[in-house]
């Protein structure tokens, strides 16, 4: 099996996921995913697509992720991994789609406008 790559995005995060035949090792930015994402509930985001298609011990996953915070990065990795699995085997699409792992969440931070302290927040209004 050759290397399969896919891209996942969420908020400001971009994750490039590389999938190869292996033993189930997941590496994020050169570290083990448990070291990179120490929170257990965030670690489940990374492993959920593999456990959904029962392929947790069949493939090695190497991820480069940058931008955003840890939660956005984890969701970007999840989307990229799901897309890579679908490229590998089209039969994986329906179980992953049923759990919404193939949906790109397009919500991003709204830009700041001039004359305001944030995107929509206004300074205190004084009538007199």
């Amino acid at each position: 099996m050759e290397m399969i790559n896919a891209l996942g995005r969420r908020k400001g995060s971009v994750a490039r996921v590389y999938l190869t035949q292996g033993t189930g090792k997941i590496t994020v930015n050169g570290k083990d995913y448990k070291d990179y994402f120490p929170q257990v509930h965030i670690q489940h985001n990374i492993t959920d697509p593999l456990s959904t298609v029962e392929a947790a011990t069949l493939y090695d996953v190497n991820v480069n992720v940058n931008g955003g915070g840890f939660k956005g990065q984890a969701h970007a990795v999840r989307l990229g991994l799901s897309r890579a699995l679908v490229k590998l085997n089209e039969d994986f699409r329906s179980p992953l789609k049923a759990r919404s792992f193939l949906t790109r969440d397009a919500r991003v931070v709204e830009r700041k406008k001039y004359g305001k302290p944030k995107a929509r927040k206004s300074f205190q209004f004084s009538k007199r």
Side-chain angles (χ1 to χ4, degrees):
M1 177 188 126
E2 74 283 350
M3 184 180 289
I4 294 174
N5 65 327
L7 194 69
R9 291 190 185 97
R10 170 77 168 101
K11 291 188 176 181
S13 303
V14 179
R16 295 186 308 270
V17 179
Y18 302 96
L19 200 66
T20 54
Q21 197 78 41
T23 59
K25 188 177 175 197
I26 302 174
T27 311
V28 180
N29 289 351
K31 297 181 182 177
D32 185 54
Y33 80 102
K34 291 183 179 176
D35 296 332
Y36 193 82
F37 296 112
Q39 297 94 340
V40 177
H41 64 283
I42 300 294
Q43 292 172 9
H44 289 307
N45 280 332
I46 311 292
T47 56
D48 277 347
L50 290 168
S51 58
T52 301
V53 296
E54 285 133 19
T57 58
L58 301 176
Y59 306 107
D60 283 346
V61 181
N62 189 13
V63 181
N64 293 329
V65 64
N66 62 340
F70 63 90
K71 198 163 187 178
Q73 286 187 351
H75 283 248
V77 170
R78 184 178 75 180
L79 177 62
L81 183 54
S82 300
R83 285 177 172 174
L85 287 168
V86 169
K87 276 187 186 179
L88 178 71
N89 186 351
E90 198 62 37
D91 296 337
F92 292 159
R93 176 177 284 281
S94 57
L96 290 170
K97 197 168 177 75
R99 297 200 52 195
S100 301
F101 291 161
L102 294 172
T103 305
R104 159 70 161 109
D105 192 349
R107 294 176 295 172
V108 293
V109 177
E110 190 176 343
R111 80 171 198 87
K112 184 192 174 300
K113 314 310 187 294
Y114 58 87
K116 294 188 177 276
K118 290 168 66 175
R120 295 183 183 216
K121 185 176 183 177
S122 297
F123 294 110
Q124 186 171 347
F125 178 72
S126 172
K127 200 167 198 175
R128 285 178 195 88

